[in-house]
Amino acid sequence: MTTPAHKTSDGPGERIDNVDVSAEMEGSFLEYAYSVIYSRALPDARDGLKPVQRRILYQMTEMGLRPDRGHVKSARVVGDVMGKLHPHGDASIYDAMVRLNQPFIMRVPLIDGHGNFGSLDDGPAAPRYTEARLAPAAMAMTADLDEDVVDFVPNYDNQLTQPEVLPAAFPNLLVNGASGIAVGMATNMAPHNLIEVIGAARHLLENPAASLDDLMSYVPGPDLPTGGLIVGLAGIRDAYETGRGSFKTRARVSIEPITARKMGLVVTELPFMVGAEKVIEKIKDGVNSKKLNGISDVVDLTDRKRGTRLVIGIKTGFNPEAVLQQLFKATPLEDQFNINNVALVNGGPQTLGLRDLLQVYVDHRIAVTTRRSEFRLARRRERLHLVEGLLVAIVDIDEVIQVIRTSDDSEQARARLMDVFDLSQVQSEYILELRLRRLTRFSRIELEAERDRLKAEIAELELLLGDPARIRLLVSHELEEAAEQFGTPRRTMLTEARPSVATVRSSKVAPVLEHADVPCRVVLSTTGRVIRVDDNLEAPDSPARPFRRSKHDAIRSIVATTSRGEIGAVTTRGRLIRLSPIDLPIVPANSIHLDAGVKISDYLALDAKKERVLALVSLTVDVPVALGTRQGVVKRVSPGDYPSKPDFDVITLKAGDELVGVQAAHDDDEMVFITSDAQFLRFAASSVRPQGRSAGGMTGIKLSGTAEAIFFGVLPVKHDAVVATISSSTATIAGTDPGRAKLSSLSDFPAKGRATSGVRAHAFLKGEDLLVLAWAGAAPVLAVGTDGSTRTLPETLAKRDASGVPLEAVIGSIGNGYTAAAIGH
């Protein structure tokens, strides 16, 4: 197809050409494509830089913006690069400059920025607001440019020159990766760990025939700037072998209690090129569209001090692991990275595997090191030539001066010096320009020392250039120095893909997000820690040690329930608070340790100074609950009287009174009170008739004077129980005197009627006037300190009215010890 011939004017000298439009379009497009491929979008395999990036680093080097200098306005850098080297506009220059600074994109940033250089969710500030200078790693990229290590080419207007490629002291293309879209092709390369890549390059230098498996022993996979996890390594090997492959990246997520009663997913590392705002937006969309279940809220707590911290709240009853798998499937918490290793090699685009990329770089460094050595050899030879001429002149300095003074002009002086002293033209010119102060004796000594040093350096450089093995060894040593200077530990964990809900896309069975309702037991320690013992869960590594003694192991209360059931916690203020064990810390039935639990006061959001949890009770078993108060009041209340409120009072307490004990009580059980003045009373539970919630109870034990009840409990009839009492004095500061302890058999204490004063349970010695702690229950008995650590009690039983034996440390509480019978398992 041709354009019709026509005239646009009748002026003289007019020329009209017929042009084939298809040929013109084809030629123009090919020229444009060539420009994009070679001058914009693709990096050079040698230094790993696109032309704009290379020009930025070179121009900043020319501007003297070294790491030890101050930052300058980014706009100034952009202006110099655009005016001298890069003609494609300030926007593209600043975008490339920003990328070279961003630590979440570059594994080893090449520019040290000051100001807002943006994030994955937001762009940078304008160049007039930000400042920049070269990072230390950039100095290694541009080192030795003044030693003829690379070729220089003209800039766009042939006014200046620029390096065709940078020397690149480390394999920047593999370390920092690259991305770009050209015409008909694109590149997308993942960042790697500098230490690992240099290790592979050095191995290739020493073993030119190294296989891919050998190199992958050094570079097992990418190392992304933002960390995270890479799952599935098959695609990585494909990429290293063929230049094309893919792998999945996952956020680093931990399941943690975000409050005492609520579990959450805490994201500390995100997949490469994924921002927190993008994740939050996808989660909100999924929750609103009902595609995501079990999520209560999402909070972004990311800051400069803690780094990435995205907290995803999990609704009560939902399995955090199942919710996490759901998030991997529906949000960018799991993302895919497609590797396409396209780079320029000898001026043409090629798709390169790991070995090819390393080989191109190694060849480049060998060439750079060879050219640098040749340059240094030439310069040292030139300098030696001048030094030798100066030494000749200094030896016969009087004759040199006489020759110069008797010459008519400099040309004649140069010719006569060359003739008389057998000097070259260069040496003669240098002598003519010699300053008189160089004629001292010390200058001669310095020149002789310099001559000897130059000869040694020349010999060393000639030896180096004459042996390719020495060149390769020098390149290896320089790479090792770069690894020591710029290397950092691996950030990304490499794992094989695990079977998950997200990977089973063909399955029509919906994932089970909610916890199963399984039998369990909830255990409360005397120090206020609570755990859930799962009867169906066992720890395979501890069958031989079913009960490991650790802190907080004295048991106050145990209740059988199910994981999605509901139990009650009764406090000292007479309140019953409903709670579900679903979110309590779980321990296997054969490896219980209460120090793994949480403080129940935190779990229920109680003020521990004003209110403590005394016991856990079942809301499903129709057994009355017995309550004993500090003023000696006793009450039984039936579970059928409990309302459906989340919390309610189970007794009406008098002013200044509080509960000291709570326990389920059958009619054939016995109730026990122990008072501060060492009175012990046991009576039949059947003597206390059940009352309604609002009732205030009845007299349980008759108190004398200022005495008060310090223990209340329920024991089965004819139970082989133990009574523990600890005496002290009101004159001592609480918690400072360990006191005296005594253990007695319950059978030594006769039963009496309710509302009586009981019998003596402890004989006070001189200086003692009260019991500070008492307990009655089934053996074994376990005492713990205020910090939960185990305390020693007397090993033998004493008479009920005997005095105690001295204690070595203060005891904070007493309860049942760990046995299978104690937990009912």
Side-chain angles (χ1 to χ4, degrees):
M1 177 180 175
T2 58
T3 58
H6 63 278
K7 294 183 179 181
T8 56
S9 67
D10 295 329
E14 185 178 75
R15 178 181 173 184
I16 299 176
D17 293 329
N18 291 329
V19 178
D20 188 324
V21 175
S22 60
E24 180 67 22
M25 290 293 293
E26 182 178 348
S28 298
F29 181 78
L30 288 175
E31 186 176 345
Y32 166 75
Y34 180 89
S35 175
V36 172
I37 291 171
Y38 296 95
S39 302
R40 293 195 191 185
L42 299 184
D44 192 296
R46 294 170 291 180
D47 62 5
L49 297 172
K50 300 177 186 179
V52 63
Q53 296 171 331
R54 186 179 303 112
R55 290 163 182 165
I56 290 170
L57 297 182
Y58 174 67
Q59 188 57 38
M60 291 181 73
T61 303
E62 291 294 291
M63 295 170 67
L65 303 181
R66 297 192 299 271
D68 56 348
R69 300 283 183 88
H71 295 81
V72 301
K73 287 289 185 183
S74 300
R76 178 181 166 191
V77 177
V78 171
D80 274 21
V81 173
M82 182 173 61
K84 295 181 178 180
L85 303 175
H86 195 72
H88 298 297
D90 57 341
S92 62
I93 298 172
Y94 188 55
D95 287 346
M97 184 176 171
V98 166
R99 185 186 187 281
L100 292 173
N101 168 80
Q102 293 175 326
F104 49 84
I105 293 180
M106 304 286 286
R107 189 61 179 80
V108 179
L110 300 178
I111 288 181
D112 175 17
H114 182 70
N116 178 18
F117 275 84
S119 67
L120 286 168
D121 298 312
D122 196 13
R128 62 182 179 275
Y129 298 120
T130 61
E131 298 177 340
R133 65 184 177 189
L134 291 173
M139 299 303 296
M141 291 291 293
T142 59
D144 305 326
L145 271 177
D146 57 346
E147 294 187 290
D148 192 35
V149 290
V150 295
D151 293 333
F152 276 68
V153 295
N155 69 336
Y156 61 89
D157 61 0
N158 292 318
Q159 302 265 340
L160 303 168
T161 59
Q162 59 185 336
E164 182 184 43
V165 66
L166 294 185
F170 60 88
N172 178 63
L173 185 57
L174 275 166
V175 171
N176 281 320
S179 62
I181 300 175
V183 178
M185 62 185 65
T187 185
N188 196 36
M189 303 181 66
H192 290 76
N193 186 273
L194 184 141
I195 297 176
E196 295 175 355
V197 171
I198 286 182
R202 296 184 66 201
H203 181 76
L204 188 61
L205 278 166
E206 298 170 6
N207 305 276
S211 66
L212 178 61
D213 290 333
D214 295 337
L215 298 177
M216 286 189 66
S217 66
Y218 292 92
V219 186
D223 186 22
L224 308 175
T226 53
L229 287 78
I230 292 178
V231 292
L233 307 182
I236 294 176
R237 181 177 177 83
D238 291 341
Y240 287 167
E241 187 171 3
T242 66
R244 296 179 185 273
S246 65
F247 58 86
K248 284 188 176 181
T249 60
R250 281 184 183 173
R252 192 180 292 270
V253 187
S254 59
I255 300 173
E256 302 177 11
I258 54 179
T259 65
R261 300 190 66 174
K262 188 175 181 180
M263 298 299 292
L265 304 173
V266 179
V267 182
T268 53
E269 295 175 4
L270 288 169
F272 187 45
M273 300 299 290
V274 173
E277 289 185 10
K278 183 179 179 182
V279 174
I280 294 173
E281 181 182 355
K282 286 291 185 181
I283 292 176
K284 289 181 177 179
D285 290 345
V287 171
N288 292 336
S289 62
K290 309 298 184 183
K291 293 181 179 179
L292 293 176
N293 299 311
I295 298 173
S296 61
D297 56 2
V298 184
V299 181
D300 187 4
L301 301 179
T302 302
D303 57 30
R304 292 179 182 270
K305 183 177 181 180
R306 293 184 295 183
T308 300
R309 188 172 179 82
L310 194 62
V311 181
I312 304 170
I314 306 298
K315 291 180 179 179
T316 300
F318 282 81
N319 185 347
E321 280 285 354
V323 174
L324 178 58
Q325 294 298 326
Q326 190 183 208
L327 287 169
F328 283 150
K329 180 179 180 180
T331 71
L333 287 179
E334 180 177 278
D335 199 17
Q336 181 160 306
F337 189 96
N338 296 314
I339 298 176
N340 189 23
N341 295 337
V342 178
L344 298 177
V345 179
N346 297 325
Q350 292 185 22
T351 303
L352 306 171
L354 176 64
R355 194 184 190 287
D356 298 328
L357 287 167
L358 289 171
Q359 189 64 60
V360 171
Y361 174 76
V362 165
D363 292 343
H364 172 59
R365 280 305 296 178
I366 291 174
V368 166
T369 305
T370 301
R371 291 182 59 165
R372 183 186 63 198
S373 300
E374 291 172 346
F375 177 86
R376 290 176 178 176
L377 178 60
R379 293 296 177 271
R380 279 154 181 74
R381 284 172 174 171
E382 292 173 2
R383 178 60 184 170
L384 178 61
H385 187 60
L386 295 177
V387 169
E388 289 174 340
L390 283 176
L391 285 171
V392 170
I394 289 176
V395 169
D396 297 322
I397 189 62
D398 293 334
E399 187 175 354
V400 169
I401 295 173
Q402 181 64 28
V403 169
I404 295 173
R405 291 187 63 184
T406 56
S407 300
D408 295 333
D409 52 31
S410 60
E411 290 293 334
Q412 186 181 12
R414 180 174 60 250
R416 292 180 64 190
L417 286 173
M418 294 172 61
D419 182 54
V420 173
F421 298 100
D422 194 21
L423 299 174
S424 68
Q425 183 177 347
V426 175
Q427 289 174 323
S428 299
E429 287 284 357
Y430 194 66
I431 291 172
L432 288 173
E433 296 174 0
L434 184 68
R435 294 187 177 184
L436 293 178
R437 64 183 180 183
R438 295 294 304 275
L439 303 179
T440 63
R441 180 171 62 88
F442 290 105
S443 293
R444 179 178 177 180
I445 295 174
E446 291 172 0
L447 287 172
E448 289 175 344
E450 183 180 1
R451 177 195 61 193
D452 297 339
R453 178 176 56 82
L454 288 170
K455 286 183 176 180
E457 291 177 356
I458 289 171
E460 183 178 349
L461 287 169
E462 289 174 342
L463 189 63
L464 176 66
L465 290 169
D467 187 357
R470 288 178 176 269
I471 293 284
R472 301 178 76 89
L473 184 61
L474 177 59
V475 171
S476 180
H477 286 166
E478 290 177 349
L479 284 173
E480 183 181 15
E481 292 174 1
E484 292 176 356
Q485 186 175 0
F486 308 116
T488 54
R490 168 170 280 275
R491 299 175 186 173
T492 302
M493 182 184 296
L494 303 174
T495 63
E496 289 290 352
R498 298 169 294 175
S500 66
V501 176
T503 58
V504 188
R505 299 186 182 275
S506 60
S507 175
K508 295 183 179 179
V509 180
V512 179
L513 298 181
E514 297 184 87
H515 285 287
D517 196 18
V518 297
C520 67
R521 300 172 191 276
V522 180
V523 183
L524 175 67
S525 74
T526 58
T527 52
R529 302 186 80 85
V530 62
I531 60 171
R532 185 177 114 205
V533 181
D534 194 334
D535 294 345
N536 296 329
L537 181 66
E538 293 188 351
D541 60 342
S542 58
R545 296 188 302 159
F547 301 102
R548 296 188 291 112
R549 180 59 54 82
S550 57
K551 284 189 174 184
H552 311 285
D553 281 353
I555 299 174
R556 180 188 295 276
S557 183
I558 298 175
V559 61
T561 180
T562 61
S563 57
R564 297 182 64 84
E566 198 172 48
I567 60 175
V570 183
T571 72
T572 53
R573 291 172 52 185
R575 258 198 327 151
L576 187 148
I577 304 171
R578 294 178 182 270
L579 64 100
S580 173
I582 190 68
D583 289 327
L584 289 174
I586 308 173
V587 297
N590 67 340
S591 183
I592 302 174
H593 50 105
L594 284 164
D595 55 345
V598 296
K599 292 183 179 179
I600 194 168
S601 58
D602 295 340
Y603 188 79
L604 299 177
L606 298 179
D607 186 344
K609 295 181 179 179
K610 298 180 180 179
E611 188 174 20
R612 294 180 296 108
V613 173
L614 285 175
L616 304 175
V617 297
S618 173
L619 301 181
T620 57
V621 179
D622 191 17
V623 177
V625 175
L627 314 168
T629 76
R630 192 169 295 279
Q631 294 180 3
V633 174
V634 66
K635 178 185 177 181
R636 289 171 79 198
V637 58
S638 298
D641 294 334
Y642 297 160
S644 58
K645 297 179 181 179
D647 66 282
F648 51 86
D649 293 334
V650 290
I651 186 173
T652 300
L653 294 171
K654 295 180 181 179
D657 200 5
E658 66 176 6
L659 292 183
V660 295
V662 179
Q663 208 164 337
H666 296 83
D667 286 343
D668 56 355
D669 290 336
E670 287 186 323
M671 297 183 179
V672 173
F673 270 105
I674 305 177
T675 66
S676 60
D677 60 349
Q679 295 299 304
F680 180 99
L681 176 64
R682 55 187 284 206
F683 55 91
S686 57
S687 64
V688 181
R689 58 179 176 80
Q691 295 177 305
R693 279 194 313 110
S694 59
M698 59 189 71
T699 302
I701 185 171
K702 185 183 293 184
L703 300 175
S704 61
T706 58
E708 58 185 21
I710 60 174
F711 173 81
F712 171 78
V714 178
L715 297 173
V717 176
K718 298 181 181 180
H719 197 285
D720 186 18
V722 176
V723 178
T725 53
I726 299 177
S727 60
S728 186
S729 171
T730 55
T732 61
I733 300 174
T736 59
D737 178 21
R740 303 173 68 88
K742 175 181 72 69
L743 292 182
S744 303
S745 174
L746 179 68
S747 60
D748 291 346
F749 297 83
K752 298 185 67 175
R754 180 184 62 81
T756 61
S757 58
V759 298
R760 178 167 294 279
H762 195 105
F764 293 133
L765 298 181
K766 184 178 180 180
E768 297 179 338
D769 56 2
L770 85 164
L771 294 182
V772 292
L773 191 62
W775 179 86
V781 58
L782 180 64
V784 296
T786 55
D787 64 345
S789 56
T790 304
R791 295 286 188 262
T792 302
L793 287 170
E795 296 181 357
T796 59
L797 298 180
K799 296 181 179 180
R800 69 172 178 82
D801 58 350
S803 60
V805 298
L807 292 172
E808 296 180 355
V810 175
I811 293 177
S813 58
I814 301 175
N816 281 116
Y818 259 0
T819 64
I823 66 166
H825 185 66

